[in-house]
Amino acid sequence: MDGLIRLEQQQMAYLEEQFGSQMPRHILSNGWDYYSNRRVLTTEVIDGNSIYGAVNGSSVYAVVLDSDEFGYSKCTCDYEGYCKHMAAVYYQYCALIGMDPEEMYRHLISEGTIEQKRMKREMAAKRRRIMPGLLYGENGSARCTARCGSNASNRSIRCRQCCLK
């Protein structure tokens, strides 16, 4: 046993969801820069439900990430709302418990949260049910699945290239 107090899996999942949905992407990126430049001085779990960290910025800032109620998370910096220091502490904690912080960063920046991914899959499935002759990409583009695979115009059930001749 390494003596490290860890958050439970559901608490980490909650924090991931909150970071993905509540933090603007530029804040997550700035936090990644702080983490990458080794500005996080310390990170530990306190009271079994909060991550405490200290970050060296223009001053040393104390961060508390509450894994039960994210709205209670705070930083001593002057920034209004969720800040880069919070993101840096989160990435440092991910590294501390053996997760890949870069993978988490890329996941939060590019894909959003698990809930956002689920919603994308549901929307794609709904479009397939509504217009079965088309295959939709994530950006909303449609492709004919009947014969030719060409881009379908105006989201019609079949494309104009092969199906409406």
Side-chain angles (χ1 to χ4, degrees):
M1 183 104 190
D2 58 12
L4 175 69
I5 299 172
R6 298 172 187 257
L7 295 179
E8 294 182 17
Q9 187 173 357
Q10 73 237 26
Q11 291 170 310
M12 280 300 290
Y14 172 74
L15 282 177
E16 175 189 345
E17 192 268 324
Q18 293 302 303
F19 270 87
S21 64
Q22 302 292 322
M23 286 219 167
R25 301 298 185 248
H26 73 279
I27 298 291
L28 292 168
S29 292
N30 292 343
W32 176 254
D33 290 342
Y34 265 55
Y35 165 75
S36 298
N37 290 317
R38 301 178 183 264
R39 294 184 140 201
V40 181
L41 304 174
T42 186
T43 306
E44 63 183 278
V45 173
I46 53 174
D47 298 331
N49 68 344
S50 297
I51 300 171
Y52 167 80
V55 180
N56 189 15
S58 56
S59 183
V60 175
Y61 300 109
V63 172
V64 176
L65 303 174
D66 191 315
S67 67
D68 290 335
E69 185 57 56
F70 194 68
Y72 292 140
S73 298
K74 59 187 173 244
C75 178
T76 58
C77 74
D78 293 334
Y79 190 80
E80 290 291 324
Y82 303 122
C83 67
K84 61 189 172 189
H85 309 109
M86 294 172 147
V89 167
Y90 180 67
Y91 300 135
Q92 178 68 33
Y93 181 73
C94 288
L96 192 65
I97 63 169
M99 293 176 70
D100 183 348
E102 185 171 2
E103 184 179 326
M104 179 58 72
Y105 165 69
R106 291 188 187 288
H107 168 71
L108 292 172
I109 292 296
S110 65
E111 300 175 18
T113 65
I114 293 170
E115 178 65 16
Q116 290 167 335
K117 283 193 219 176
R118 183 189 62 75
M119 290 175 64
K120 283 181 185 177
R121 284 193 306 271
E122 286 178 1
M123 290 297 289
K126 184 177 177 182
R127 284 192 298 258
R128 282 192 296 275
R129 284 192 301 273
I130 293 171
M131 299 185 181
L134 299 178
L135 178 65
Y136 286 88
E138 286 201 20
N139 64 355
S141 63
R143 210 167 30 93
C144 176
T145 58
R147 294 182 209 155
C148 68
S150 68
N151 287 338
S153 61
N154 72 12
R155 295 185 181 228
S156 61
I157 291 178
R158 293 196 169 87
C159 77
R160 293 178 183 211
Q161 185 171 341
C162 71
C163 301
L164 296 179
K165 288 185 176 179

